[in-house]
């Protein structure tokens, strides 16, 4: 077969690779549970209330890999893999790496070598997820918690911002792999009042509204490859929340994907 015969034309929408991170309790798992025909690799535990199809809770990195392999090899109708959460998975990866290196803890290794070694496990995970996307055409949604870290911006003074709660080497790798890194947070407004003696008091106020940030800003790390609006306001209804997000992701919007994870009859 010649190379020219393999040339593709037109627009195609491969299954997306999405990282959604944010504050605890904001509804990341509930949002992902409404993705089309979703199945959960449950590392955190406590996802029973979502009603999502799920594997038994994974307590080792090998178990996570086995669950991904089952989705690759066995017949099923699932269309979206959800991993909750990647920061809990990181701890399992550290245990696996320490076992491979025959040390009790990767923190014991000098000069951060343990975290560098753990990249091999991360790469193996990504290889499995890419095989799943290629062979089963499954979307991947990875959930994570956020943490506030100092960011040294070379163009300005350092400042604090929300980032994925991962070691920096793993975070950089997973961000590069992802098509979208989305920060899920509360909508906050500020009110300035007079504190007397020339003092200004600034208080944050929230009204319960949720926002997804899709582009990097000083407040939060984010990116996307889909020309999404920089901020998406998310409705309270779980189904409406997913439909609102999915409408900005071509793979889902082009298929008019259903907003639930119920399987069709075989």
């Amino acid at each position: 077969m010649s190379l020219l015969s393999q040339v593709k034309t037109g627009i195609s929408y491969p299954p997306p690779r999405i990282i959604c991170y944010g504050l605890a309790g904001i509804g990341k798992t509930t949002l992902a549970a409404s993705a089309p025909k979703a199945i959960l690799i449950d590392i955190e535990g406590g996802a029973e209330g979502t009603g999502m199809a799920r594997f038994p809770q994974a307590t080792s990195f090998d178990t996570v890999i086995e669950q991904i392999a089952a989705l690759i090899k066995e017949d099923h109708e699932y269309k979206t893999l959800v991993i909750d959460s990647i920061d809990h998975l990181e701890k399992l990866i550290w245990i696996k790496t320490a076992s491979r290196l025959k040390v009790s803890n990767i923190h014991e290794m000098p000069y951060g070598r343990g975290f560098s070694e753990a990249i091999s496990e991360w790469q193996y995970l990504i290889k499995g997820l890419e095989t799943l996307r290629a062979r089963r055409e499954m979307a991947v949604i990875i959930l994570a918690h956020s943490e506030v870290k100092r960011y040294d911006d070379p163009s300005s003074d350092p400042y604090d911002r929300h980032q994925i709660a991962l070691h920096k080497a793993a975070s950089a790798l997973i961000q590069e792999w992802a098509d979208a890194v989305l920060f899920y947070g509360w909508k906050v407004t500020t009110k300035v009042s007079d504190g007397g003696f020339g003092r200004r008091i600034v208080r944050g106020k929230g009204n319960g509204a949720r926002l997804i940030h899709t582009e990097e800003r000083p407040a939060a790390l984010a990116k996307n490859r889909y020309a999404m609006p920089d901020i998406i306001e998310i409705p309270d209804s779980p189904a409406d929340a997913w439909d609102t997000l999915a409408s900005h992701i071509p793979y889902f919007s082009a298929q008019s994907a259903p907003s639930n994870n119920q399987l069709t009859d075989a």
Side-chain angles (χ1 to χ4, degrees), residues 13-18 133 138-141 177 179 226 249 251-252:
Y13 301 115
R17 301 164 289 197
I18 299 169
R133 293 176 67 242
M138 290 185 70
V140 178
I141 301 175
W177 167 79
D179 297 309
Y226 301 122
I249 300 173
Y251 175 81
F252 295 119

Side-chain angles (χ1 to χ4, degrees), residues 31-208:
L31 177 69
S34 292
K37 298 180 181 179
I39 183 169
L40 174 68
I41 291 182
D42 182 14
I43 304 165
E44 249 185 72
E48 293 82 0
T50 65
M52 188 175 5
R54 56 196 177 274
F55 288 104
Q57 184 176 355
T59 56
S60 71
F61 179 66
D62 287 342
T63 300
V64 172
I65 296 300
E66 288 167 3
Q67 292 173 352
I68 294 171
L71 290 170
I72 294 170
K73 297 174 182 177
E74 300 179 23
D75 292 335
H76 60 81
E77 295 184 357
Y78 297 110
K79 291 297 183 183
T80 308
L81 172 64
V82 179
I83 298 178
D84 188 12
S85 65
I86 198 169
D87 36 306
H88 280 63
L89 173 57
E90 180 172 54
K91 296 177 176 63
L92 302 183
I93 284 177
W94 289 349
I95 293 170
K96 177 67 176 180
T97 303
S99 175
R100 174 169 60 82
L101 298 175
K102 296 180 172 54
V103 297
S104 60
N105 193 309
I106 65 170
H107 294 81
E108 297 175 359
M109 304 188 70
Y111 309 113
R113 182 184 159 216
F115 301 106
S116 299
E117 288 283 351
I119 292 298
S120 294
E121 273 68 39
W122 283 109
Q123 291 171 332
Y124 192 68
L125 171 72
I126 288 174
K127 181 179 179 180
L129 295 176
E130 285 300 290
T131 302
L132 181 66
R133 293 176 67 242
R135 295 189 187 176
R136 291 294 184 177
E137 296 186 352
M138 290 185 70
V140 178
I141 301 175
I142 294 176
L143 305 181
H145 294 94
S146 67
E147 63 181 356
V148 177
K149 284 186 175 180
R150 174 187 165 115
Y151 178 62
D152 293 316
D153 189 335
S155 64
S156 71
D157 292 333
Y159 52 85
D160 291 342
R161 70 172 182 176
H162 290 281
Q163 300 184 54
I164 303 169
L166 290 175
H167 185 273
K168 61 182 180 181
S171 183
L173 180 67
I174 206 75
Q175 288 173 52
E176 181 182 3
W177 167 79
D179 297 309
V181 178
L182 309 175
F183 173 65
Y184 199 11
W186 301 106
K187 184 176 183 179
V188 177
T189 58
T190 58
K191 180 180 180 180
V192 180
S193 59
D194 184 2
F197 302 101
R199 292 184 300 118
R200 296 167 68 251
I201 300 174
V202 181
R203 292 187 174 90
K205 296 177 63 178
N207 59 6

